[in-house]
Amino acid sequence: MTTGAEGAVVRLGVSAARPAWRWIRPSVSHSSLAGYADELADDVRRRETALRDQLRAGPTDPNLAVEITVRTKTDTTPVAVARITECVQGLRVRRVLLLGEAGSGKTVAATHLVLGLLDRRRELGDAARAAEPVPVRVNAAGWNGEQLFSRWLAERLGSDYRLHRRVAKALVDAGLILPLVDGLDEMESVEAAHAALARINEVPWRHRPLVVLCRTEDFEELRQQPGGARLVGAATITMGSFSHEQIIGYLKQRQTDDDVADDAWSEVIGQVERESTGPLATALRTPWMLALADTAQRHDPEIASRLARSTEADDVRARLLAEQIPAAVDGRDRDGPYEHYDVDKVTRWLATLARRLDERGATGGDGTTIRLDEVWELAGPVRCRALYGLVCGLVALLGLLPSFLVAVDEEPSWLDEGWWSWLGLAFPLVIAIPVGWLPDVEGRRLAWRIPGRSWWRHALSRLWEPTWLAIIVMVVCGVFAVFADITAVEAVVLVALALPGCLAYALVRVLSVDSADKGKLIMHETRLVRDDATAAAVIGALVAVAIWAGFASADRLGGEPDGSLLAPLYSGGYFGLVAVMVYGVATGRYLTAAVLFSIDESFPDRPARFLEWARRGGLLSVSGDAYQFRHETLREWVKANTPS
């Protein structure tokens, strides 16, 4: 090759390596962070706009008027506003605690606050915008309060918006993120929420701008914890409920719209006027319930008459909660991935979820929540296990067939040499049966570091099993060498075959996260299956490399390859695939369930997408890293209105 050609190859290699290196280790200079912040702002705007549009037809209409109270340490002032979208306009305090009862409009207010701050940020010049933080709403449900807030926030940004971990951490450390922490009331326990609030009050966040959203009653419970609960330096916004005059005014205004009959709400208006503190006025006092009533009227013109005849506030709420599904469906993207969602399908899917939770509760399991790596149970636990085990067995069998055919072709009498000759053919059964009937397993996860634990101490505590395994392997090889009368070289070959596997096992043990350590890591309800798939892929790759290294080393030490049944590359790939199937049981069952769902349509074939859509639409909520029905009434309603 000429010098010019060599230079061209080098330049081509450098050109290809530069973007790869930027992807592996992106720049976090001041100018680079400004660009990343602008890109994040665009992503946040798209997501919050979609949520705003969904909520507009959903459980809270953003045009409803509310009364809020802004309270600081020195001032408590009721502020009447024309619309819920204006509840945060004009607020000069940068740290805000936003409280309100269920349905009072906290999420809508947060969404419009994010979009308003993004609009203001976009109007700034380049230099000022580079220093202006990006408002981002994050869900605290998967946080246990043990991790530092900065670390948890960076992990959440990376997960929600696919930011590189290095970039997310740099944006947080540089103060370019203004977090709106939603779901404090959805955390696993009061103690976790209390610990999370304490983390937020630590330096450097003690003096940084942020917003925390929580239900009023849940925050009052936090106040009862030892040491109390507060957001240091924050103004408290309490979103109030409607008076009966506001309810009447809104319904009268709706009757002037073209899509509503002139007397559509006459009976309800009359009932609220007669009993200003009665069950109907009590039930309709939150923006959420009033918006649901409006949505119900569009689907059922007779709903107003039934509401007016209700004698209990709970009866009114129950009737309106049944309208959550039409409300959520109305707010979906007509041309997006949810275009095939309709009221009947969503109702059927939620009924499937509700009945499975009932079955789990009846057998002593968790009857209120379900994680993403447990969704396969909705397809029928027995058939899903059996089908996945069958698939694993078939894959294992098909992977072995080429090798057996080659062996038989080269030595036809091979299968007649003894019972052990058939052992390989039984290997698929050895895989299929245990994999198919393993007990319920959580999604696996690998992590290089566990917060609050020394890496070296953790690694040493996990290495004793692999160490003893390696010692046993060498002892067995030595004993075999003595009694089988093999040469020292052949004994070394046996050790070379086994030791790479021991090393791979040692690495897997060090990286694997057990149940006790999972609570110390940041969990994300939408990533459980993805984390399990990643862990299975990494473990499979380690097994493949270990098998390849073992056979390659044995061939090198023992002389030329002897044409064994499984060549190094083939055997490594095969056993790597088997390891993926064995270790990725949660992922495999999830994918198997998705196939079954596409056939019987008892649940959507993209379960993760549906569960997250239902959460954003107010049908489900998140508790820790699991989904649950936001209201028990909705759960009972979907079961009662869907055939078994």
Side-chain angles (χ1 to χ4, degrees):
M1 183 181 290
T2 65
T3 303
E6 292 176 354
V9 171
V10 171
R11 288 193 296 272
L12 181 61
V14 172
S15 300
R18 186 176 293 115
W21 177 250
R22 284 199 298 264
W23 180 78
I24 296 172
R25 191 173 179 83
S27 171
V28 291
S29 64
H30 179 73
S31 58
S32 297
L33 287 183
Y36 290 130
D38 287 343
E39 293 175 3
L40 176 61
D42 292 338
D43 290 343
V44 172
R45 182 184 300 278
R46 284 191 291 269
R47 178 172 296 193
E48 294 299 321
T49 299
L51 179 60
R52 180 197 63 189
D53 294 341
Q54 184 175 349
L55 291 175
R56 180 170 291 158
T60 310
D61 189 326
N63 292 322
L64 298 179
V66 296
E67 183 178 273
I68 66 172
T69 299
V70 180
R71 184 175 65 248
T72 63
K73 202 166 186 178
T74 59
D75 185 30
T76 301
T77 308
V79 181
V81 297
R83 295 180 180 179
I84 195 172
T85 57
E86 302 167 356
C87 70
V88 290
Q89 291 183 7
L91 187 66
R92 295 292 180 261
V93 181
R94 302 297 300 277
R95 290 172 65 82
V96 177
L97 176 63
L98 184 57
L99 302 177
E101 61 180 288
S104 60
K106 298 185 299 298
T107 300
V108 174
T111 298
H112 283 272
L113 174 58
V114 169
L115 293 173
L117 292 174
L118 288 174
D119 288 339
R120 187 178 68 181
R121 185 180 185 277
R122 186 165 56 181
E123 295 171 356
L124 299 174
D126 291 345
R129 191 173 66 253
E132 184 71 12
V134 179
V136 184
R137 190 162 53 85
V138 288
N139 195 323
W143 186 23
N144 61 13
E146 293 186 12
Q147 302 91 0
L148 293 175
F149 182 59
S150 291
R151 180 177 181 271
W152 173 80
L153 180 59
E155 290 282 348
R156 192 78 197 196
L157 289 175
S159 177
D160 289 353
Y161 294 95
R162 298 185 179 180
L163 288 177
H164 191 283
R165 180 175 298 181
R166 176 178 167 87
V167 172
K169 182 178 184 302
L171 288 172
V172 171
D173 292 344
L176 292 178
I177 302 296
L178 194 163
L180 286 83
V181 184
D182 199 356
L184 196 67
D185 46 72
E186 295 180 357
M187 297 183 70
E188 287 185 338
S189 64
V190 176
E191 292 75 20
H194 190 271
L197 203 57
R199 288 293 192 185
I200 293 174
N201 285 328
E202 293 176 347
V203 175
W205 288 98
R206 187 180 185 89
H207 307 295
R208 285 187 181 181
L210 55 79
V211 178
V212 175
L213 291 77
C214 188
R215 290 186 182 182
T216 304
E217 57 270 25
D218 290 294
F219 197 79
E220 290 302 320
E221 187 175 358
L222 286 175
R223 292 184 190 276
Q224 304 304 317
Q225 294 293 304
R230 63 193 181 102
L231 186 60
V232 175
T236 301
I237 296 180
T238 303
M239 305 190 70
S241 56
F242 291 140
S243 65
H244 74 285
E245 291 93 348
Q246 289 175 303
I247 297 173
I248 293 171
Y250 175 77
L251 295 178
K252 286 183 176 179
Q253 177 62 38
R254 286 293 291 131
Q255 290 185 146
T256 64
D257 295 339
D258 293 337
D259 61 336
V260 178
D262 294 342
D263 60 347
W265 292 107
S266 298
E267 292 184 67
V268 172
I269 291 172
Q271 180 68 15
V272 173
E273 285 178 334
R274 288 190 297 272
E275 299 182 35
S276 60
T277 59
L280 190 55
T282 300
L284 296 179
R285 68 193 183 104
T286 65
W288 184 34
M289 282 292 147
L290 196 53
L292 281 178
D294 188 18
T295 302
Q297 198 279 331
R298 281 181 283 171
H299 293 278
D300 180 9
E302 301 300 322
I303 188 69
S305 298
R306 292 196 293 274
L307 292 177
R309 293 193 296 270
S310 299
T311 58
E312 298 290 339
D314 288 342
D315 184 36
V316 175
R317 295 189 185 98
R319 292 181 185 276
L320 294 179
L321 285 173
E323 297 302 320
Q324 287 184 101
I325 296 176
V329 170
D330 276 354
R332 78 189 189 281
D333 186 351
R334 303 291 175 175
D335 297 322
Y338 314 111
E339 59 181 338
H340 64 288
Y341 288 16
D342 58 38
V343 174
D344 291 338
K345 287 182 179 179
V346 173
T347 303
R348 183 170 68 251
W349 297 338
L350 290 176
T352 299
L353 175 58
R355 293 192 179 101
R356 179 56 195 166
L357 289 175
D358 285 350
E359 292 172 4
R360 291 174 58 171
T363 56
D366 184 355
T368 58
T369 65
I370 188 167
R371 298 191 314 272
L372 197 58
D373 55 0
E374 298 172 330
V375 165
W376 61 271
E377 297 179 10
L378 303 179
V382 174
R383 69 169 181 166
C384 196
R385 282 179 179 149
L387 183 57
Y388 180 60
L390 178 62
V391 169
C392 290
L394 288 175
V395 171
L397 178 61
L398 292 176
L400 283 179
L401 282 181
S403 299
F404 280 111
L405 293 177
V406 170
V408 172
D409 182 61
E410 293 179 351
E411 190 176 353
S413 62
W414 177 76
L415 292 176
D416 299 327
E417 293 183 1
W419 63 269
W420 60 269
S421 303
W422 295 89
L423 185 60
L425 292 175
F427 181 71
L429 291 177
V430 177
I431 296 298
I433 294 176
V435 167
W437 295 102
L438 277 174
D440 298 345
V441 293
E442 295 183 9
R444 297 180 184 273
R445 187 172 178 183
L446 302 181
W448 189 252
R449 291 185 180 276
I450 305 296
R453 174 177 293 180
S454 166
W455 187 89
W456 289 107
R457 185 177 300 174
H458 169 72
L460 290 174
S461 68
R462 295 293 185 89
L463 287 177
W464 68 271
E465 289 181 8
T467 300
W468 277 108
L469 179 62
I471 293 174
I472 291 172
V473 166
M474 289 188 287
V475 170
V476 169
C477 289
V479 172
F480 190 78
V482 172
F483 290 97
D485 194 25
I486 63 176
T487 66
V489 172
E490 291 172 329
V492 171
V493 169
L494 290 176
V495 174
L497 277 171
L499 283 186
C502 294
L503 292 175
Y505 176 61
L507 189 56
V508 169
R509 284 289 296 146
V510 171
L511 295 179
S512 295
V513 179
D514 56 27
S515 299
D517 289 333
K518 276 188 176 181
K520 300 178 182 178
L521 295 172
I522 297 168
M523 304 300 293
H524 195 299
E525 66 277 3
T526 66
R527 291 187 58 93
L528 297 181
V529 173
R530 190 183 308 175
D531 288 340
D532 181 77
T534 301
V538 170
I539 293 172
L542 289 173
V543 170
V545 171
I547 297 294
W548 173 82
F551 275 93
S553 300
D555 285 345
R556 184 64 178 259
L557 293 171
E560 293 296 324
D562 58 359
S564 58
L565 180 63
L566 295 177
L569 286 177
Y570 176 82
S571 59
Y574 176 77
F575 285 105
L577 178 61
V578 170
V580 169
M581 294 187 298
V582 172
Y583 277 89
V585 172
T587 300
R589 290 178 179 176
Y590 176 87
L591 296 176
T592 303
V595 173
L596 294 174
F597 293 147
S598 67
I599 296 173
D600 62 20
E601 297 185 344
S602 61
F603 208 69
D605 56 5
R606 300 290 295 272
R609 176 182 290 173
F610 170 71
L611 291 174
E612 192 61 15
W613 172 86
R615 182 190 69 80
R616 293 197 306 269
L619 304 175
L620 303 178
S621 63
V622 173
S623 176
D625 57 356
Y627 292 91
Q628 64 183 12
F629 280 89
R630 185 173 290 274
H631 294 279
E632 188 65 25
T633 306
L634 175 63
R635 175 174 167 173
E636 297 301 323
W637 184 88
V638 295
K639 289 190 298 182
N641 289 270
T642 308
S644 301

